[in-house]
Amino acid sequence: MIPQLEKLKRECLDAIAKATDTEQLQEVEVKFIGRKGELTNILRGVKDLNDNEKPVIGKLSNEIKNELEQAIAAKKQKIESKALNAQLEDPTFDVTAPGPDRQKGHIHPLSQVQKEVEDIFTSMGFMIKDGPEAESEYYNFEGLNIPAWHPARDMQDTFFIKNKEDKKHGRMVLRTHTSPVQVRTMEEFGAPLRMIVPGRTFRYEATDASHDTTFYQVEGLMIDKHISISHLKGVLKQFLSKLFGREVKVRIRPGYFPFVEPGLEVDFSCLICEGKGCRVCKKTGWVEFMGAGMVHENVLKAGGIDPKKWQGWAFGFGLTRLVMMRHGIDDIRHNLSGDLRFVNQF
Ligand code: DAH
């Protein structure tokens, strides 16, 4: 069998040398070392050999196969580079002509800003959390100390989900804010805690230029032994100054949210008019930005955290609104319209 194999090798190398294009080369490959080729044919006889011969022939045929494969690959490369050179020498071939126009996609403006927000808070030691969009009434309302009479619990404001119940917590809603992730995260990690939750939220709105049924918020939560409103102010000032790339002033006013006590409204100095008063800030010099406050003790308790030992603040702002301010987008409905004429501007 050895002479047969040697002969096959010689013939195949010869054929490789003679091949002038890739089709011919492929034919050679199929003929000699293909699945139904000559090598396979010869190896059919191996089963009739004695046990001493079998390993010798096996080894030799493998070596020959490898050698031939390498010779074919080398020849293929040679043929291809020759073809390329011929093309380059062709005087009508313009190497400077632009290639085919490939349209690249890009990140949606909402995701771009979300990523920036995440990076800034991560750099201050906050973790990024996520929570379910279809949420139990318990986490969306009760756990956050939102009483039954609160307008958010009205059918007019919230999408209630029919015929679907959470095993432990009863009726389900599409979350109206990212705040439910506060209690979920407290349950998961306990105190101390530093986290933000960027996410999609839903309200039963009659849509117009500034209201949509789907929008994005960012929740923030910081809990430790001695956390106060000063820390909130410091973190927000740092966050906004990094986001806008210049010094931003932060103003705090009293506000009401059932899950914080005291509750706050946070404004920042208008970047358009530098505080002088313009259309964007409604001539006040300040832009309303978020709700915040010291986490209510009932919320800490719902999250399994002892309010006698720990305290902290929470905030929530509209990511969609932030993106609109940043880019001067005048209609909220553009954001999720899927209209490429809109998206491709960013
Ligand atoms: N969840 C509130 C909303 O959607 C925003 C908010 C206010 C979040 C105060 C907070 C907070 O964490 O402390 O309007």
Side-chain angles (χ1 to χ4, degrees):
M1 204 173 267
I2 295 180
Q4 254 178 304
L5 286 170
E6 296 288 356
K7 179 162 171 272
L8 172 129
K9 178 176 148 185
R10 254 180 285 113
E11 282 175 7
C12 184
L13 287 174
D14 212 34
I16 292 171
K18 285 198 185 115
T20 52
D21 58 35
T22 48
E23 280 93 57
Q24 282 176 14
L25 200 60
Q26 197 171 8
E27 279 166 27
V28 173
E29 185 170 8
V30 172
K31 176 160 180 252
F32 289 95
I33 56 173
R35 221 153 32 89
K36 293 181 182 157
E38 291 184 14
L39 183 65
T40 314
N41 223 355
I42 298 174
L43 293 179
R44 280 223 179 92
V46 168
K47 64 180 186 314
D48 302 323
L49 297 175
N50 67 38
D51 284 351
N52 290 339
E53 286 170 322
K54 270 184 195 166
V56 180
I57 296 298
K59 186 163 175 259
L60 180 66
S61 59
N62 263 336
E63 280 167 7
I64 291 181
K65 189 166 183 211
N66 283 341
E67 189 180 337
L68 295 176
E69 276 171 353
Q70 276 170 19
I72 288 171
K75 182 69 190 256
K76 188 165 175 222
Q77 213 176 20
K78 213 165 154 191
I79 291 173
E80 282 173 351
S81 70
K82 214 166 148 190
L84 185 67
N85 279 337
Q87 207 174 23
L88 289 175
E89 275 160 24
D90 175 353
T92 63
F93 183 76
D94 180 1
V95 286
T96 66
D101 183 19
R102 295 218 182 89
Q103 283 223 331
K104 262 207 247 156
H106 66 85
I107 311 268
H108 190 283
L110 272 166
S111 310
Q112 290 173 17
V113 177
Q114 178 178 330
K115 175 92 184 20
E116 281 178 49
V117 171
E118 288 177 0
D119 285 349
I120 297 171
F121 276 101
T122 311
S123 78
M124 292 193 273
F126 285 70
M127 62 176 170
I128 317 282
K129 284 295 290 173
D130 216 351
E133 292 173 356
E135 182 57 284
S136 68
E137 250 190 294
Y138 169 75
Y139 282 113
N140 199 78
F141 298 126
E142 275 100 3
L144 291 166
N145 198 39
I146 300 180
W149 49 261
H150 196 276
R153 308 207 41 164
D154 198 317
M155 301 289 275
Q156 302 303 316
D157 288 301
T158 302
F159 290 111
F160 286 81
I161 302 173
K162 258 193 207 156
N163 305 330
K164 195 164 184 311
E165 296 233 323
D166 176 83
K167 271 194 217 82
K168 197 160 151 214
H169 295 304
R171 287 209 300 173
M172 305 277 289
V173 297
L174 290 186
R175 66 176 179 193
T176 57
H177 49 182
T178 42
S179 306
V181 191
Q182 284 190 30
V183 176
R184 285 183 174 276
T185 310
M186 289 180 204
E187 285 176 344
E188 193 178 346
F189 294 98
L193 206 54
R194 252 187 257 185
M195 63 112 186
I196 61 159
V197 185
R200 191 153 56 159
T201 51
F202 310 86
R203 296 214 188 144
Y204 184 41
E205 300 276 9
T207 54
D208 63 27
S210 46
H211 298 88
D212 204 346
T213 55
T214 303
F215 53 99
Y216 287 73
Q217 286 192 337
V218 178
E219 194 78 12
L221 179 67
M222 181 166 192
I223 294 172
D224 211 319
K225 289 263 155 77
H226 307 290
I227 293 299
S228 71
I229 292 173
S230 322
H231 299 109
L232 173 68
K233 206 168 171 184
V235 166
L236 292 180
K237 201 162 153 24
Q238 172 77 355
F239 160 58
L240 290 167
S241 300
K242 275 205 186 174
L243 186 74
F244 292 118
R246 57 184 146 138
E247 186 92 351
V248 175
K249 280 198 222 117
V250 170
R251 176 174 88 166
I252 282 174
R253 296 176 284 127
Y256 174 72
F257 301 95
F259 31 96
V260 279
E261 179 60 40
L264 311 167
E265 300 271 354
V266 181
D267 308 331
F268 62 78
S269 50
C270 182
L271 299 163
I272 310 281
C273 63
E274 303 291 345
K276 286 190 206 69
C278 68
R279 202 171 53 90
V280 171
C281 59
K282 300 189 193 113
K283 302 226 181 305
T284 63
W286 296 92
V287 179
E288 286 180 24
F289 183 50
M290 61 161 72
M294 296 300 290
V295 181
H296 196 289
E297 66 168 83
N298 288 350
V299 178
L300 290 171
K301 280 186 202 151
I305 291 179
D306 182 353
K308 298 224 158 47
K309 291 198 185 130
W310 304 94
Q311 62 182 36
W313 43 253
F315 65 73
F317 68 85
L319 182 67
T320 303
R321 230 186 113 231
L322 183 64
V323 173
M324 290 173 70
M325 274 192 292
R326 175 173 247 197
H327 292 300
I329 298 167
D330 59 1
D331 192 323
I332 191 172
R333 292 167 293 192
H334 287 316
N335 292 298
L336 303 178
S337 64
D339 188 335
L340 292 179
R341 290 170 306 179
F342 167 75
V343 174
N344 284 341
Q345 293 175 55
F346 305 100

